Amino acid sequence: MNGIPIRSLRVGALAPLGPHEVPSGIAKSEVTSALSLAATGLSGDRQGDREKHGGPEKAVHHYPFEHYAAWSSDLGSHCLLAEPGAFGENISTLGLTEESVAIGDVFEVGRAVVEVSQGRQPCWRLNARFGRKTMAREVQTTGRTGWYYRVLKPGIVAPSDRLILVDRASPEWTIGRIWRAFYVDTLNRDELAGISALDHLSKSWRGLATRRLENNAIEDWSRRLGDR
């Protein structure tokens, strides 16, 4: 299997973000040489809020470069959309999207092995990054969110590597399907029950589905999205 080539491999140091200069690693730079991937992420990659970002279930963020054309159409010319990295992604590719990638998909990348753990829940940091107060909500509404990996086997990853699909635990549960359950058909009890029982999904996202089933209500998104 040829796999999907990495278009850009990126890591970010902490830097002030937005008018309040909140520490964030969302501005990631392209790397040109191999680096190590451990259980909590790529060497040199940092997160300003470790409670909500990073950690074993969100060790690596993948964002499809396919979406950049759609964002350029939506937003017009924007300097961040000239190259990968606008959305704080560690990995950029052409050939994988939320409609084809599923929870539990396992990829070899370099000498490491990663597994899709959840989609991205956009937050207000995207508003600050783009200078657009509705950006996080637009990412959520469009479903152009990207996804996260957990690391099953640490190893060395290089910009020239490919992602090679080696296993699919639940191919029917794509990132797109879960996005529709969480943000479109939000109280579909059959879908929520399936999500809550999905073993390879991150614990926090299974818990989100369980709480909706128990409360028959949608959680408040306004603080996360930075709605004003």
Side-chain angles (χ1 to χ4, degrees):
M1 185 181 296
N2 290 328
I4 302 293
I6 294 175
R7 184 181 180 90
S8 183
L9 184 66
R10 313 180 74 88
V11 298
L14 289 183
L17 175 69
H20 300 293
E21 299 189 336
V22 176
S24 174
I26 195 171
K28 300 188 188 301
S29 301
E30 188 168 56
V31 299
T32 57
S33 58
L35 70 171
S36 62
L37 173 59
T40 55
L42 291 159
S43 176
D45 197 42
R46 301 287 301 280
Q47 297 84 33
D49 183 352
R50 293 302 300 273
E51 181 180 348
K52 297 182 178 66
H53 302 95
E57 293 293 80
K58 294 184 282 187
V60 179
H61 181 232
H62 188 150
Y63 197 81
F65 194 68
E66 285 91 331
H67 294 335
Y68 276 61
W71 285 119
S72 293
S73 177
D74 291 347
L75 306 182
S77 178
H78 196 295
C79 61
L80 288 179
L81 298 175
E83 62 180 15
F87 297 87
E89 61 264 40
N90 299 115
I91 293 176
S92 174
T93 61
L94 286 167
L96 296 170
T97 72
E98 293 83 357
E99 297 306 320
S100 61
V101 170
I103 299 300
D105 283 359
V106 176
F107 293 90
E108 291 180 350
V109 53
R111 297 186 179 180
V113 178
V114 297
E115 181 180 53
V116 178
S117 56
Q118 67 171 76
R120 181 192 193 159
Q121 267 193 325
C123 77
W124 61 267
R125 286 168 177 79
L126 285 170
N127 301 345
R129 175 133 173 90
F130 277 82
R132 184 179 178 89
K133 64 181 181 180
T134 59
M135 191 65 193
R137 182 166 286 275
E138 290 173 67
V139 170
Q140 178 170 294
T141 300
T142 60
R144 301 194 292 254
T145 61
W147 57 88
Y148 287 104
Y149 297 108
R150 62 174 65 92
V151 178
L152 300 183
K153 176 187 173 184
I156 302 299
V157 178
S160 58
D161 286 333
R162 293 171 174 261
L163 284 93
I164 300 173
L165 181 66
V166 296
D167 193 20
R168 306 201 84 189
S170 50
E172 71 278 13
W173 285 105
T174 63
I175 298 296
R177 179 178 176 182
I178 292 177
W179 164 78
R180 281 184 285 275
F182 278 168
Y183 304 118
V184 181
D185 190 11
T186 51
L187 291 176
N188 184 319
R189 296 188 66 83
D190 289 339
E191 289 292 273
L192 291 173
I195 292 169
S196 69
L198 188 55
D199 288 342
H200 296 274
L201 184 63
S202 66
K203 182 179 179 180
S204 64
W205 272 36
R206 283 186 280 124
L208 176 58
T210 299
R211 287 191 295 276
R212 284 200 193 171
L213 285 168
E214 292 173 347
N215 300 331
N216 198 36
I218 305 163
E219 64 282 358
D220 183 5
W221 302 334
S222 59
R223 183 173 182 180
R224 170 172 59 81
L225 296 176
D227 289 341
R228 296 291 185 265

Coordinates of all heavy atoms in Angstrom, one line a residue, residues 70-118:
A70 N -12.0 25.6 0.2 CA -13.3 26.0 0.6 C -13.2 27.2 1.6 O -14.1 28.1 1.5 CB -14.0 24.8 1.3
W71 N -12.2 27.2 2.4 CA -12.1 28.3 3.3 C -11.8 29.6 2.6 O -12.2 30.7 2.9 CB -11.0 28.0 4.4 CG -11.5 27.1 5.5 CD1 -11.0 25.9 5.8 CD2 -12.6 27.3 6.4 NE1 -11.7 25.3 6.8 CE2 -12.7 26.1 7.2 CE3 -13.5 28.3 6.6 CZ2 -13.7 26.0 8.2 CZ3 -14.5 28.2 7.5 CH2 -14.6 27.0 8.3
S72 N -10.9 29.5 1.6 CA -10.6 30.6 0.8 C -11.8 31.2 0.1 O -12.0 32.4 -0.1 CB -9.5 30.3 -0.3 OG -8.3 30.0 0.4
S73 N -12.7 30.3 -0.4 CA -14.0 30.7 -1.0 C -14.9 31.4 0.0 O -15.5 32.4 -0.3 CB -14.7 29.5 -1.6 OG -15.9 29.8 -2.2
D74 N -14.9 30.9 1.2 CA -15.7 31.4 2.3 C -15.2 32.8 2.8 O -16.0 33.7 3.0 CB -15.8 30.5 3.5 CG -16.6 29.2 3.1 OD1 -17.3 29.1 2.1 OD2 -16.5 28.2 3.9
L75 N -13.9 32.8 3.0 CA -13.3 34.0 3.7 C -12.7 35.0 2.8 O -12.4 36.1 3.2 CB -12.3 33.5 4.7 CG -12.7 32.4 5.7 CD1 -11.6 32.1 6.7 CD2 -13.9 32.9 6.5
G76 N -12.4 34.6 1.5 CA -11.7 35.5 0.7 C -10.2 35.3 1.0 O -9.8 34.4 1.7
S77 N -9.4 36.2 0.5 CA -7.9 36.1 0.7 C -7.6 36.3 2.1 O -8.0 37.2 2.8 CB -7.3 37.2 -0.2 OG -5.9 37.2 0.1
H78 N -6.8 35.3 2.7 CA -6.4 35.4 4.0 C -5.0 34.8 4.1 O -4.7 33.7 3.6 CB -7.3 34.6 4.9 CG -7.2 34.9 6.4 ND1 -6.0 34.6 7.1 CD2 -8.0 35.5 7.3 CE1 -6.2 35.0 8.4 NE2 -7.4 35.5 8.5
C79 N -4.1 35.6 4.7 CA -2.7 35.2 4.7 C -2.4 33.8 5.3 O -1.5 33.0 4.9 CB -1.8 36.2 5.5 SG -2.3 36.4 7.2
L80 N -3.3 33.4 6.3 CA -3.1 32.1 6.9 C -3.4 30.9 6.0 O -2.9 29.8 6.2 CB -4.0 31.9 8.2 CG -3.6 32.8 9.4 CD1 -4.6 32.6 10.5 CD2 -2.2 32.4 9.9
L81 N -4.2 31.2 5.0 CA -4.6 30.1 4.1 C -3.6 29.9 2.9 O -3.9 29.0 2.0 CB -6.0 30.4 3.5 CG -7.1 30.5 4.6 CD1 -8.4 30.9 4.0 CD2 -7.2 29.1 5.3
A82 N -2.5 30.6 2.9 CA -1.6 30.4 1.8 C -0.8 29.1 1.9 O -0.2 28.6 0.9 CB -0.6 31.6 1.8
E83 N -0.7 28.5 3.1 CA 0.0 27.3 3.3 C -0.6 26.5 4.5 O -1.4 27.1 5.2 CB 1.5 27.6 3.6 CG 1.7 28.4 4.8 CD 3.2 28.7 5.1 OE1 4.0 28.5 4.1 OE2 3.5 29.1 6.2
P84 N -0.2 25.2 4.6 CA -0.8 24.5 5.8 C -0.4 25.1 7.1 O 0.6 25.9 7.2 CB -0.1 23.1 5.6 CG 0.2 23.0 4.2 CD 0.6 24.4 3.7
G85 N -1.1 24.8 8.1 CA -0.8 25.3 9.5 C -1.8 26.3 10.0 O -1.8 26.7 11.2
A86 N -2.8 26.7 9.2 CA -3.7 27.7 9.7 C -4.5 27.3 10.8 O -4.9 28.1 11.7 CB -4.6 28.1 8.5
F87 N -4.8 26.0 10.9 CA -5.7 25.5 12.0 C -5.0 24.8 13.1 O -5.6 24.1 13.9 CB -6.7 24.5 11.3 CG -7.6 25.2 10.3 CD1 -7.2 25.4 9.0 CD2 -8.8 25.8 10.7 CE1 -8.0 26.1 8.1 CE2 -9.6 26.5 9.8 CZ -9.2 26.6 8.5
G88 N -3.7 25.0 13.2 CA -2.9 24.5 14.3 C -2.6 23.0 14.1 O -2.3 22.3 15.1
E89 N -2.7 22.5 12.9 CA -2.5 21.1 12.6 C -1.0 20.7 12.7 O -0.1 21.4 12.3 CB -3.0 20.7 11.3 CG -2.4 21.4 10.0 CD -3.2 22.6 9.6 OE1 -3.7 23.3 10.4 OE2 -3.3 22.8 8.4
N90 N -0.8 19.5 13.2 CA 0.5 18.8 13.1 C 0.8 18.2 11.8 O 1.9 18.1 11.4 CB 0.7 17.8 14.2 CG 0.5 18.3 15.6 OD1 -0.4 18.0 16.4 ND2 1.5 19.2 16.0
I91 N -0.3 17.6 11.2 CA -0.1 16.9 10.0 C -1.1 17.4 9.0 O -2.3 17.6 9.3 CB -0.4 15.4 10.1 CG1 0.7 14.7 11.0 CG2 -0.5 14.6 8.8 CD1 0.5 13.3 11.3
S92 N -0.6 17.7 7.8 CA -1.5 18.2 6.7 C -1.3 17.2 5.5 O -0.2 16.7 5.2 CB -1.1 19.6 6.2 OG -1.8 20.0 5.0
T93 N -2.4 16.8 4.9 CA -2.4 15.8 3.8 C -3.4 16.2 2.7 O -4.3 17.0 3.0 CB -2.7 14.4 4.2 OG1 -4.0 14.4 4.8 CG2 -1.7 13.9 5.2
L94 N -3.3 15.6 1.6 CA -4.3 15.6 0.6 C -4.7 14.1 0.4 O -3.8 13.3 0.2 CB -3.9 16.1 -0.8 CG -3.7 17.6 -0.9 CD1 -3.0 18.0 -2.1 CD2 -5.1 18.3 -0.9
G95 N -6.0 13.8 0.5 CA -6.4 12.4 0.3 C -7.2 11.8 1.5 O -7.7 10.6 1.4
L96 N -7.3 12.5 2.6 CA -8.0 12.0 3.8 C -8.9 13.1 4.2 O -8.5 14.2 4.4 CB -7.1 11.5 4.9 CG -6.2 10.4 4.6 CD1 -5.2 10.2 5.8 CD2 -7.0 9.1 4.5
T97 N -10.2 12.8 4.5 CA -11.1 13.8 5.0 C -12.0 13.2 6.1 O -11.9 12.0 6.3 CB -12.1 14.4 3.9 OG1 -13.0 13.4 3.6 CG2 -11.3 14.9 2.7
E98 N -12.8 14.0 6.7 CA -13.7 13.5 7.8 C -14.7 12.5 7.3 O -15.2 11.7 8.1 CB -14.4 14.7 8.4 CG -13.6 15.7 9.2 CD -12.9 16.7 8.3 OE1 -13.1 16.7 7.0 OE2 -12.2 17.6 8.8
E99 N -15.0 12.5 6.0 CA -15.9 11.5 5.5 C -15.3 10.2 5.2 O -16.0 9.2 5.0 CB -16.6 12.1 4.2 CG -17.4 13.3 4.5 CD -18.5 13.2 5.5 OE1 -19.1 12.1 5.6 OE2 -18.6 14.1 6.4
S100 N -14.0 10.1 5.2 CA -13.3 8.8 4.9 C -12.6 8.2 6.1 O -12.3 7.0 6.1 CB -12.3 9.0 3.7 OG -11.3 9.9 4.0
V101 N -12.3 9.1 7.0 CA -11.5 8.6 8.2 C -12.5 8.3 9.3 O -13.4 9.1 9.6 CB -10.5 9.7 8.6 CG1 -9.9 9.4 10.0 CG2 -9.4 9.9 7.6
A102 N -12.2 7.2 10.0 CA -13.2 6.7 11.1 C -12.4 6.5 12.4 O -11.2 6.3 12.4 CB -13.8 5.4 10.6
I103 N -13.2 6.6 13.5 CA -12.7 6.3 14.8 C -12.1 4.9 14.8 O -12.7 3.9 14.3 CB -13.8 6.4 15.9 CG1 -14.4 7.8 15.9 CG2 -13.3 6.0 17.2 CD1 -13.4 8.9 16.2
G104 N -10.9 4.8 15.4 CA -10.3 3.5 15.4 C -9.4 3.1 14.2 O -8.8 2.1 14.2
D105 N -9.4 4.0 13.2 CA -8.5 3.8 12.1 C -7.0 3.8 12.6 O -6.7 4.8 13.3 CB -8.7 4.8 11.0 CG -9.9 4.6 10.1 OD1 -10.6 3.6 10.4 OD2 -10.2 5.4 9.2
V106 N -6.2 2.9 12.2 CA -4.8 2.8 12.7 C -3.9 3.0 11.5 O -4.1 2.4 10.4 CB -4.5 1.4 13.3 CG1 -3.1 1.3 13.7 CG2 -5.4 1.2 14.6
F107 N -3.0 3.9 11.6 CA -2.0 4.3 10.6 C -0.6 4.1 11.1 O -0.3 4.4 12.2 CB -2.2 5.7 10.2 CG -3.5 6.1 9.5 CD1 -4.6 6.5 10.2 CD2 -3.6 6.0 8.1 CE1 -5.7 6.8 9.6 CE2 -4.7 6.3 7.5 CZ -5.8 6.7 8.2
E108 N 0.2 3.5 10.2 CA 1.7 3.6 10.4 C 2.1 4.9 9.8 O 1.7 5.3 8.7 CB 2.4 2.4 9.7 CG 2.1 1.1 10.4 CD 2.9 0.0 9.6 OE1 3.4 0.2 8.5 OE2 2.9 -1.2 10.1
V109 N 2.9 5.6 10.5 CA 3.5 6.8 10.0 C 5.0 6.9 10.5 O 5.3 6.9 11.7 CB 2.8 8.1 10.4 CG1 2.6 8.2 11.9 CG2 3.4 9.4 9.9
G110 N 5.9 6.7 9.5 CA 7.3 6.5 9.9 C 7.4 5.3 10.7 O 6.9 4.2 10.4
R111 N 8.1 5.3 11.8 CA 8.2 4.2 12.7 C 7.2 4.2 13.9 O 7.3 3.3 14.7 CB 9.7 4.2 13.3 CG 10.7 4.0 12.3 CD 12.1 3.9 12.9 NE 13.1 3.7 11.9 CZ 14.4 3.5 12.1 NH1 14.8 3.5 13.4 NH2 15.3 3.4 11.2
A112 N 6.3 5.1 13.8 CA 5.2 5.2 14.8 C 3.9 4.6 14.3 O 3.8 4.4 13.1 CB 5.0 6.7 15.2
V113 N 3.0 4.3 15.2 CA 1.7 3.9 14.9 C 0.7 4.7 15.7 O 0.8 4.9 16.9 CB 1.5 2.4 15.2 CG1 0.1 1.9 14.9 CG2 2.5 1.5 14.5
V114 N -0.3 5.2 15.0 CA -1.3 6.1 15.6 C -2.7 5.6 15.3 O -2.9 4.9 14.3 CB -1.1 7.6 15.1 CG1 0.2 8.1 15.5 CG2 -1.3 7.7 13.6
E115 N -3.7 6.0 16.1 CA -5.0 5.6 16.0 C -5.9 6.8 16.1 O -5.8 7.6 17.0 CB -5.4 4.6 17.1 CG -6.8 4.1 17.0 CD -7.1 3.0 18.1 OE1 -6.9 3.4 19.3 OE2 -7.6 1.9 17.7
V116 N -6.9 6.9 15.2 CA -7.9 8.0 15.3 C -8.7 7.9 16.6 O -9.4 6.9 16.8 CB -8.8 8.0 14.1 CG1 -9.8 9.2 14.2 CG2 -8.0 8.2 12.8
S117 N -8.7 9.0 17.4 CA -9.3 8.9 18.7 C -10.6 9.8 18.8 O -11.5 9.5 19.5 CB -8.4 9.4 19.8 OG -7.9 10.7 19.4
Q118 N -10.7 10.9 18.1 CA -11.9 11.8 18.1 C -11.7 12.9 17.1 O -10.6 13.1 16.5 CB -12.0 12.4 19.5 CG -10.9 13.4 19.9 CD -11.3 14.2 21.1 OE1 -11.2 13.7 22.2 NE2 -11.7 15.5 21.0

